[in-house]
Amino acid sequence: MSEKPVEDLSYEQALELFDGRLRALEEGNLTLEQAIEAVAEGRRYLKICEAKLEAARHKIEVRPEPQPLPAPAEDEPDEPQPPRDLLL
């Protein structure tokens, strides 16, 4: 049975493969070359997971419509006025 290309993996599949590489590294039974390859594969799977999450976030993100600024009331002057009791 042939393996799926890495790009065609679902989020769940990539996460499972990432977890498998992480467990293999934690067990410490890999040679240096195998550990280096496990880290590289883990990074690829992690990037796939991040891309899938970002795509899902864009699908469900709701952005509020920009609200117009309230217009000034017509009876409000544009400039501050001095208190009326000081005007004589």
Side-chain angles (χ1 to χ4, degrees):
M1 186 174 177
S2 64
E3 290 185 25
K4 279 184 170 182
V6 174
E7 298 81 24
D8 292 341
L9 294 174
S10 70
Y11 172 82
E12 292 78 9
Q13 291 168 326
L15 186 60
E16 184 178 331
L17 290 168
F18 172 76
D19 189 49
R21 297 307 179 265
L22 188 59
R23 272 186 271 131
L25 286 165
E26 288 173 342
E27 289 171 1
N29 297 326
L30 301 176
T31 66
L32 178 60
E33 290 301 317
Q34 290 170 328
I36 291 170
E37 182 59 27
V39 168
E41 288 176 3
R43 285 183 179 155
R44 283 193 295 270
Y45 298 136
L46 185 57
K47 281 185 148 192
I48 292 168
C49 290
E50 290 172 343
K52 301 281 184 181
L53 285 174
E54 187 63 25
R57 188 175 295 123
H58 283 293
K59 286 181 182 179
I60 63 173
E61 188 173 75
V62 177
R63 294 192 173 136
E65 292 292 322
Q67 300 296 317
L69 295 175
E74 289 184 25
D75 61 336
E76 291 181 18
D78 290 339
E79 296 181 23
Q81 299 293 318
R84 292 184 188 259
D85 61 340
L86 295 178
L87 297 175
L88 295 174

